[in-house]
Amino acid sequence: MLTTTDTGDAPSQSAVAGNLAVGPGFRAGRVIGLFLLILALLHKLYQAERRLLDGQIIDVPFTRLVTIAAEGLGNRVLPFEVERRGDITLGTVPSTLADSKDQPLSTTVVIRGGCNGIEALFLMIAGILALPASWPTRLRALFRDLPLLFGLNLVRILGLLYTWPVIPTGSTSRMIRSHRA
């Protein structure tokens, strides 16, 4: 939204977006270019870490964190028990969930690189760092928005775990179903 002068006649040279005041030196092309540069750098570092170090520094620990958090939250909010099966797999416990014929039903969600939500975090980091704002404002935005995005990813994963056993389709409801998150 453009701010107006005291007389209310003409817009001034600054625009306000949320708490971020954009002054007359603001150039959208520069912000977009910086965003793409930061995003490309984060992506290249992530892909190199996955290829050269087998994901042992960023990918595997982050995926482990996602599965631990999803298991903890799932056991609190879902109507059945959720268990971690290693570092990248979540599943429902068959003894706590049964389909309409009391047959044990289990759902497994495998969370791998590309499905763990880290690329979404990279988008958020690049977007926040590319904006022309003070460093304290950027840091506050990172500390506020990254956990929110992490939480939304957990809701997505728990939605997958909840949907398959609760809303089974046809004859697959008696099978162990697996899906890559």
Side-chain angles (χ1 to χ4, degrees), residues 28-147:
R30 181 179 178 277
V31 172
I32 292 169
L34 186 57
F35 166 77
L36 293 174
L37 178 69
I38 294 169
L39 184 61
L41 178 65
L42 289 171
H43 181 71
K44 287 292 183 190
L45 289 172
Y46 176 61
Q47 292 303 320
E49 184 265 346
R50 287 182 66 193
R51 234 174 289 133
L52 300 175
L53 302 172
D54 203 26
Q56 295 301 312
I57 295 174
I58 298 171
D59 195 42
V60 172
F62 184 76
T63 304
R64 185 179 303 125
L65 174 67
V66 169
T67 57
I68 290 169
E71 177 190 31
L73 184 60
N75 283 327
R76 285 179 175 76
V77 301
L78 294 178
F80 45 80
E81 192 176 338
V82 176
E83 67 180 356
R84 247 178 82 223
R85 301 174 185 158
D87 288 338
I88 63 168
T89 307
L90 286 170
T92 57
V93 179
S95 63
T96 63
L97 178 69
D99 70 1
S100 60
K101 300 199 186 312
D102 290 324
Q103 299 281 333
L105 178 66
S106 178
T107 301
T108 301
V109 176
V110 178
I111 304 167
R112 300 202 181 271
C115 299
N116 58 10
I118 201 162
E119 286 92 353
L121 294 177
F122 288 165
L123 281 167
M124 183 72 74
I125 290 168
I128 290 171
L129 293 181
L131 285 175
S134 68
W135 279 104
T137 301
R138 292 177 192 179
L139 291 176
R140 275 194 311 275
L142 286 172
F143 283 114
R144 179 192 64 221
D145 296 343
L146 293 181

Side-chain angles (χ1 to χ4, degrees), residues 3-18:
T3 58
T4 58
T5 59
D6 291 334
T7 61
D9 296 333
S12 69
Q13 291 292 322
S14 67
V16 178

